[in-house]
Amino acid sequence: MRSFYEVCAVLRRRNAKQYALLAGCCFFSVLLITAYVCMMRSPTVLSVLPEGGDSRKQVMMIFVLAVIGCAVFTTYAAGLFLRQRSRELGIFMALGASRAQVRGVLQRELAGVSVISCVLGAALGMPLAWALWSLFRTFLVDTQEMALRFDYRAYILSAIFSLFVILTTLSLGARSVRRTNIIDIVHEQHRSEPVREVPRRWGAIGIVLVLVGVFLGYMSSNFFILVLHWYPPEGLSAVFYAPALVGLYMLLLHTVVNGWGGRRRKYRDLISTSMMKFQGRQTVRNMLVITVLVAGAYFGSFYIPMIGTGAMMRYDAREYDYLYFHRADQDIPGEDEVRALAREYGVEITSFAEASTALLAVDGTHTVEVDGPMGVTWYPEYIEVFTAERFLSESDFNALTGQALDVPAGQAAAVLDSDGSTGYGFDTGISIVTNYLTGERLDVTPYQGAALRYQSLAQHYVLDDADFELITRGLTDEWREHKVVFNVENDEQTYDFAKALFNEIVDRSGPEVEVYDSWDPVIRDRNLAEDGYYFLDRESLEEAGEVTIDYTQRDSSNFRLSWKYMPQFRVLDKADFVKTTAVYLMLFVFVAIVCFSAVMVIAYTRCMTIALTNRQVYEDLRRLGAPGKYLYRSVRGQVKRVFFVPIFTGTLIIYVFYLMIMYFNGSPAGITGDEAAGLLASIGVIAGVSALLYGIYRLTLGKVCSSLSVKRRT
Amino acid sequence: MLKVENLHKSYQVGKNTYEVLKGVSLNVEQGEFVAVMGPSGSGKTTLLNCISCYIPADSGSIRLGGTELARLGEDELAEVRNRKLGFVFQDFLLLDGLTVEQNILLPAIIGGSVSADVENRASQLCEVFGIAAIKGKYPAEISGGEKQRTAVARALINNPLVILADEPTGNLDSKSSRAVIGTFEQAKSGLGSTIFMVTHDSFAASFCDRVIILRDGVVWRTLEKRDAERTAFQDALLASISEMGRQ
Ligand SMILES: Nc1ncnc2c1ncn2[C@@H]1O[C@H](COP(=O)(O)OP(=O)(O)OP(=O)(O)O)[C@@H](O)[C@H]1O
Ligand SMILES: [Mg+2]
């Protein structure tokens, strides 16, 4: 061995583990980010997440979280690597190696490790995304729209991230040998960043700040919009979440430095607490990242159980197994045809009813947006002809429901969901009903009797028969709808029949009703008059590059969830729910997987780092005669803190956040039945994930123990 | 050869500043064998680290053979460390990943000149220090004294003009200590090397031409051997040290 190069090669072989860890972290983070980006930018996924919609924002938000998480942990991995190597480099320099010589060697190694692992990670990212996706398709759901297509431009983002990883690694490397104090470089490995004393009250203050921040953050945009009539610029409400982050930092700092045990346990935990303290800042930052990632992952994971349970409960709450409705000018199957089809499929129809509804305009409050010096503000403007709503006469209502409702003349009875919630944008207090064609107008007051709850007819209004007759006079078929309801024997076994009937209805629908459910003829006329276009018209949508309602895509989630005349067949909806929401399901599950893997890797590497840097301490303690049980308890104390504190905090925060959302959404404020069920289902998800994380904790604990040669006890 | 003037160095720990060297001045002639003694924590290691520019001094001047070290560029400084200085660290600073022999050769390898001559010299040094049998072992597998001897051999491999040794005999029995002192004397007589050695050991110090005693960050006293007997010089050293202890 005669050259410096050979010396480095020998050392590289001896330190293979350190290189492997760095390479592994770079590889893993680029792999995850690439897979995520491929998924997120895939046309398949994009077509499901509406532009500017909440779900796309959420996906974006969680992506940002994942990027931050991955960036932080590769930075730490690089830092750890350089720390481990600093002694060697310092000794080289002390023995007269020039800085350029040392830097050259280091940079070549870092570049080699990071470039290779990033390229590998980026190359395998897309296959990983594809493999995960296929796994879902095999085991969960498979629909035509789920064939995953990739947009190769996704690799631009992946390349940017890889570049970031490589450049950070290199610049950290350059920084580590730049210092003039060679003795400091030599001793870098043993240097720690102790955190200073933290007052004990920080724990409590932290908790309060977290709660305040979460509440303020969530409420701020409501406050701006509803109270100040001002649309805040994007991202402003994020500022209001800031106290939560500060609180979280204080909370974790308190946990790391003081612990929650109180003074009684001061000496028992002295060693593990003081070790944590000396790892202080990095550990706290790691824990912060874990907390945020856990919160993000759960935020994604709850989406499906929340929506799913709610939807299932609403399906069950329907009074009829089958309900379909259509504009009266459409040629859709009548009773004879339905019965014939039922016979063909061996389905027995037990009851059958039909009714007609009318589309009438109602009054309401319109928000007028104005562009001012402050950005967009709004003011409410009451208009007498606001939107079109569905109306029933009391006898038709009674025919469908079997009730004996009598609405007094001059009153309009609003039908609520079976659990009493009104649903989005449904006004129970209308006062003017207008026939849009004739201009005939009827003044009404809200129905004085008990509130009407009927799931299958929710968001309809019921009028007195005479009133109905008078006000709907002169309406054309375009303004009338036909509603058919029936029950069958053994509803659960009639899927094929339901599917056939659904196809029949879609096949016979004309292009004029190929529209979104929020397409409203009254709003359309107003928009056309004011702006010259209506955003829900087919041409406008196509022009804006948005997804349209399309009969050929009748099994897509978009169609199933948003077609204006989508039949409500319980068996079909239930069976297809998972399918129609499959893309959401996949995406959020995928996000959760990414976040939780990042959490596991970060927690694992952090624990191993603590073990590495404290090996000497444990050696000394053993020599001082510390019993094995004591050593084990101290090791477990540290691993536990790294795992449990952030995971517990993150879980709790996001659960409280969800509770709050559920409480404040919809009117009146409160938790409805299906929200409660969703929240319960989310607890199930938490239990499952927690079990998995507990497994990882046990695994890490085992690894740490064996690396410190501490015997594991039960 | 080595001239230190009014050297100041303080450490910053948190908000506190600890002044360790408070104006140290000393002068070592070419070919002189000088020892530095002083109580633990008096700043001996700090002084050596400043002299070799491992840590930046706050103020003062350090001249090596007429060149002001602080003025040298990085590469020149590295060159000086590699070719002209041999450093024995108090905590050895051996590379765990290299064998004893490889560690000894490291300065030569870094300098880029490993000839058969150098390899011979390494074997010779191993023989002299009695570590030939453990040449192939790694630092984790050898004793503290063996590490120390390895560190001394490494300092000597490039035939340095100035040897800066921080307690090179601290862990050694008297026979090994003699071997280390012997090689220093050899370097002095054979190559005209200058040796600047920190030690707590009055026996080792008694072989030197001059002993500088540090206390509270300044030079407290300098004792010259001149033509005195070694044992007499050692007695004089012990007398000074106990005097310092009484004050
Ligand atoms: N990196 C550092 N940061 C802060 N203080 C330091 C540092 N290095 C040394 N000191 C302090 O400076 C003083 C002198 O240290 P130095 O190592 O020079 O002592 P010394 O004379 O070599 O002692 P010994 O004989 O025990 O080796 C000591 O009080 C020590 O605590
Ligand atoms: Mg010292």
Side-chain angles (χ1 to χ4, degrees):
Chain A
M1 192 181 70
R2 291 190 162 179
S3 71
F4 189 45
Y5 181 78
E6 283 171 285
V7 170
C8 295
V10 167
L11 291 175
R12 243 189 330 264
R13 234 166 294 139
R14 298 276 299 187
N15 299 329
K17 269 191 186 166
Q18 298 166 7
Y19 288 87
L21 186 69
L22 176 63
C25 284
C26 291
F27 169 76
F28 186 75
S29 61
V30 173
L31 179 78
L32 284 185
I33 295 299
T34 308
Y36 195 115
V37 172
C38 284
M39 189 75 67
M40 193 177 71
R41 302 301 307 170
S42 147
T44 315
V45 172
L46 286 185
S47 69
V48 180
L49 303 179
E51 187 108 34
D54 275 350
S55 28
R56 192 180 279 200
K57 268 190 212 146
Q58 279 168 24
V59 169
M60 212 37 224
M61 221 165 72
I62 298 173
F63 173 68
V64 170
L65 281 183
V67 166
I68 292 174
C70 286
V72 166
F73 96 73
T74 41
T75 311
Y76 283 163
L80 175 65
F81 175 81
L82 289 167
R83 255 168 111 92
Q84 290 168 331
R85 302 266 294 137
S86 59
R87 191 177 129 90
E88 279 170 14
L89 302 177
I91 292 177
F92 285 154
M93 285 163 78
L95 295 178
S98 71
R99 213 175 289 277
Q101 207 176 355
V102 171
R103 195 191 303 122
V105 167
L106 183 67
Q107 297 297 56
R108 247 198 318 276
E109 289 181 354
L110 287 178
V113 168
S114 59
V115 168
I116 291 177
S117 44
C118 285
V119 167
L120 223 65
L124 292 179
M126 199 176 270
L128 173 72
W130 183 84
L132 272 177
W133 194 265
S134 309
L135 212 66
F136 282 114
R137 289 185 64 180
T138 321
F139 289 108
L140 285 178
V141 277
D142 195 5
T143 60
Q144 64 196 29
E145 64 172 348
M146 274 183 59
L148 190 64
R149 283 168 297 140
F150 283 122
D151 180 352
Y152 287 89
R153 275 171 300 179
Y155 265 99
I156 295 173
L157 276 175
S158 159
I160 292 175
F161 185 75
S162 302
L163 206 65
F164 164 81
V165 169
I166 294 168
L167 289 183
T168 325
T169 316
L170 288 182
S171 70
L172 282 177
R175 208 185 63 181
S176 77
V177 292
R178 198 185 303 138
R179 263 173 309 175
T180 44
N181 192 327
I182 293 180
I183 298 299
D184 271 2
I185 300 181
V186 172
H187 290 144
E188 172 73 14
Q189 200 171 0
H190 304 293
R191 238 179 33 150
S192 38
E193 305 176 288
V195 218
R196 257 172 243 129
E197 289 304 313
V198 170
R200 293 196 75 83
R201 60 175 183 281
W202 275 33
I205 297 179
I207 293 178
V208 172
L209 277 181
V210 167
L211 294 177
V212 167
V214 167
F215 184 77
L216 276 185
Y218 180 67
M219 287 312 210
S220 65
S221 69
N222 275 352
F223 177 77
F224 289 135
I225 297 173
L226 297 184
V227 181
L228 297 185
H229 288 195
W230 174 55
Y231 291 104
E234 196 90 35
L236 182 68
S237 60
V239 173
F240 288 83
Y241 284 109
L245 221 55
V246 174
L248 198 57
Y249 191 70
M250 288 172 80
L251 173 64
L252 293 176
L253 211 56
H254 167 76
T255 314
V256 166
V257 176
N258 302 328
W260 288 91
R263 283 168 210 284
R264 190 169 46 82
R265 295 172 56 187
K266 190 168 162 196
Y267 289 103
R268 219 188 83 185
D269 295 337
L270 182 67
I271 299 292
S272 49
T273 303
S274 71
M275 270 189 262
M276 286 295 259
K277 218 160 136 174
F278 270 83
Q279 299 289 317
R281 230 162 284 168
Q282 288 202 10
T283 306
V284 172
R285 275 188 233 140
N286 268 201
M287 286 162 90
L288 197 67
V289 170
I290 295 179
T291 310
V292 171
L293 280 178
V294 165
Y298 274 127
F299 192 73
S301 321
F302 289 168
Y303 191 78
I304 295 305
M306 287 310 301
I307 302 227
T309 358
M312 288 300 162
M313 287 187 65
R314 272 192 306 279
Y315 298 154
D316 278 332
R318 286 181 193 159
E319 293 78 4
Y320 286 99
D321 300 335
Y322 285 78
L323 177 154
Y324 63 90
F325 55 100
H326 225 309
R327 232 162 74 170
D329 60 351
Q330 300 293 309
D331 162 42
I332 51 161
E335 181 168 4
D336 296 343
E337 278 175 273
V338 170
R339 286 191 184 279
L341 194 66
R343 260 195 307 282
E344 198 178 308
Y345 281 89
V347 172
E348 185 160 349
I349 293 177
T350 51
S351 68
F352 197 99
E354 292 178 74
S356 56
T357 57
L359 281 179
L360 295 168
V362 300
D363 60 328
T365 307
H366 175 51
T367 57
V368 184
E369 297 178 3
V370 240
D371 249 329
M374 284 285 288
V376 184
T377 55
W378 65 274
Y379 61 89
E381 183 190 46
Y382 172 80
I383 38 184
E384 296 188 341
V385 179
F386 179 48
T387 57
E389 299 290 347
R390 295 189 171 104
F391 282 77
L392 282 160
S393 67
E394 60 194 2
S395 49
D396 266 352
F397 179 83
N398 290 337
L400 288 178
T401 62
Q403 298 182 4
L405 177 70
D406 181 18
V407 180
Q411 292 187 9
V415 185
L416 308 181
D417 282 2
S418 57
D419 63 5
S421 54
T422 52
Y424 180 74
F426 182 64
D427 183 5
T428 55
I430 52 167
S431 51
I432 302 170
V433 179
T434 312
N435 181 318
Y436 197 71
L437 290 185
T438 62
E440 179 75 24
R441 150 183 175 151
L442 173 71
D443 290 326
V444 292
T445 55
Y447 177 56
Q448 294 305 309
L452 298 183
R453 297 181 175 193
Y454 205 80
Q455 188 70 32
S456 293
L457 295 174
Q459 309 209 2
H460 287 55
Y461 296 96
V462 184
L463 293 179
D464 171 60
D465 276 349
D467 280 350
F468 186 84
E469 168 60 30
L470 212 67
I471 190 78
T472 59
R473 194 170 294 161
L475 279 183
T476 59
D477 276 355
E478 273 175 56
W479 293 83
R480 290 181 190 275
E481 285 178 0
H482 194 66
K483 211 180 276 291
V484 178
V485 296
F486 60 94
N487 284 321
V488 296
E489 200 81 64
N490 295 327
D491 175 37
E492 293 83 33
Q493 278 135 47
T494 59
Y495 179 81
D496 292 336
F497 164 69
K499 186 94 191 189
L501 184 56
F502 165 67
N503 280 329
E504 185 67 20
I505 292 169
V506 177
D507 285 342
R508 282 159 66 169
S509 301
E512 64 278 14
V513 287
E514 207 172 2
V515 292
Y516 276 101
D517 54 1
S518 39
W519 188 93
D520 183 313
V522 175
I523 297 180
R524 178 171 185 271
D525 276 359
R526 191 169 60 242
N527 282 9
L528 285 179
E530 286 172 4
D531 310 325
Y533 81 102
Y534 180 48
F535 76 108
L536 283 176
D537 273 346
R538 193 179 190 84
E539 307 78 58
S540 312
L541 289 171
E542 277 169 355
E543 211 167 288
E546 305 265 4
V547 187
T548 54
I549 290 289
D550 182 350
Y551 293 149
T552 62
Q553 297 293 315
R554 63 184 68 173
D555 289 328
S556 73
S557 49
N558 188 48
F559 189 90
R560 293 292 185 89
L561 297 174
S562 318
W563 183 37
K564 192 171 181 70
Y565 300 98
M566 185 61 208
Q568 299 176 4
F569 299 165
R570 186 185 293 123
V571 59
L572 187 73
D573 290 337
K574 270 191 168 179
D576 287 349
F577 174 77
V578 183
K579 274 193 189 182
T580 46
T581 48
V583 177
Y584 285 93
L585 178 77
M586 296 269 305
L587 196 67
F588 284 107
V589 170
F590 188 80
V591 166
I593 288 177
V594 170
C595 292
F596 280 124
S597 344
V599 164
M600 288 177 216
V601 172
I602 294 176
Y604 178 80
T605 42
R606 177 92 303 237
C607 289
M608 289 312 277
T609 313
I610 294 179
L612 270 178
T613 32
N614 289 318
R615 188 173 294 160
Q616 192 56 47
V617 178
Y618 281 95
E619 203 47 52
D620 293 348
L621 283 174
R622 203 176 335 223
R623 287 203 191 124
L624 287 173
K629 201 169 139 202
Y630 179 87
L631 293 179
Y632 173 65
R633 233 182 21 212
S634 131
V635 171
R636 195 186 52 188
Q638 306 199 43
V639 176
K640 237 183 182 166
R641 251 182 255 190
V642 170
F643 267 87
F644 289 168
V645 173
I647 289 177
F648 179 76
T649 319
T651 309
L652 198 69
I653 288 177
I654 206 62
Y655 200 75
V656 169
F657 186 60
Y658 248 90
L659 266 178
M660 203 173 66
I661 293 181
M662 290 307 137
Y663 187 83
F664 286 109
N665 74 353
S667 61
I671 306 274
T672 62
D674 57 81
E675 285 169 351
L679 287 168
L680 266 177
S682 302
I683 288 184
V685 172
I686 292 179
V689 173
S690 300
L692 177 70
L693 290 173
Y694 184 74
I696 301 290
Y697 156 73
R698 299 293 299 179
L699 193 96
T700 310
L701 183 59
K703 279 270 188 191
V704 171
C705 280
S706 75
S707 97
L708 292 173
S709 349
V710 169
K711 242 224 339 288
R712 200 158 158 184
R713 278 140 219 272
T714 38
Chain B
M1 184 66 192
L2 174 66
K3 197 170 161 74
V4 175
E5 266 174 80
N6 203 17
L7 191 68
H8 285 264
K9 171 70 190 173
S10 44
Y11 290 111
Q12 192 83 32
V13 179
K15 284 184 196 123
N16 303 326
T17 308
Y18 299 96
E19 189 164 27
V20 177
L21 300 181
K22 306 170 183 165
V24 173
S25 300
L26 51 87
N27 197 358
V28 182
E29 297 302 329
Q30 163 124 38
E32 211 182 355
F33 188 176
V34 174
V36 178
M37 297 185 80
S40 177
S42 56
K44 304 180 298 292
T45 300
T46 306
L47 175 62
L48 283 197
N49 283 338
C50 287
I51 290 177
S52 49
C53 294
Y54 288 155
I55 58 179
D58 298 343
S59 67
S61 114
I62 301 156
R63 294 165 151 279
L64 188 69
T67 12
E68 179 68 49
L69 288 186
R71 296 239 182 80
L72 289 184
E74 271 189 23
D75 289 350
E76 292 161 309
L77 197 57
E79 172 104 13
V80 167
R81 284 187 193 124
N82 189 243
R83 309 252 164 207
K84 303 205 172 133
L85 291 183
F87 207 105
V88 183
F89 298 92
Q90 192 170 13
D91 42 6
F92 322 134
L93 297 190
L94 301 176
L95 284 185
D96 296 327
L98 301 180
T99 61
V100 166
E101 189 181 24
Q102 289 168 339
N103 263 297
I104 294 174
L105 281 171
L106 195 55
I109 294 172
I110 287 172
S113 59
V114 187
S115 55
D117 272 3
V118 176
E119 284 179 338
N120 277 338
R121 186 171 158 68
S123 304
Q124 248 175 355
L125 286 168
C126 286
E127 290 294 337
V128 172
F129 292 131
I131 47 176
I134 53 158
K135 265 204 261 194
K137 285 192 172 183
Y138 287 94
E141 304 159 352
I142 62 178
S143 77
E146 287 164 341
K147 279 184 204 162
Q148 185 147 43
R149 281 175 275 164
T150 307
V152 176
R154 183 179 64 183
L156 294 169
I157 190 73
N158 274 353
N159 289 322
L161 287 178
V162 178
I163 295 168
L164 299 169
D166 199 347
E167 292 203 45
T169 61
N171 292 287
L172 302 182
D173 57 276
S174 59
K175 186 167 159 256
S176 304
S177 294
R178 280 305 307 262
V180 169
I181 301 293
T183 40
F184 284 174
E185 285 181 321
Q186 241 173 26
K188 176 186 152 179
S189 58
L191 300 161
S193 298
T194 309
I195 297 132
F196 192 71
M197 171 178 81
V198 167
T199 185
H200 282 292
D201 180 3
S202 59
F203 171 71
S206 67
F207 287 90
C208 298
D209 303 324
R210 197 147 54 97
V211 175
I212 295 168
I213 301 179
L214 277 190
R215 207 183 86 168
D216 296 335
V218 290
V219 174
W220 177 69
R221 181 177 288 178
T222 305
L223 294 163
E224 303 226 16
K225 188 174 179 189
R226 302 240 163 80
D227 303 320
E229 276 292 309
R230 192 195 63 76
T231 43
F233 189 46
Q234 188 175 2
D235 290 342
L237 282 177
L238 288 172
S240 280
I241 291 168
S242 61
E243 185 190 332
M244 182 173 66
R246 276 197 305 274
Q247 282 184 2

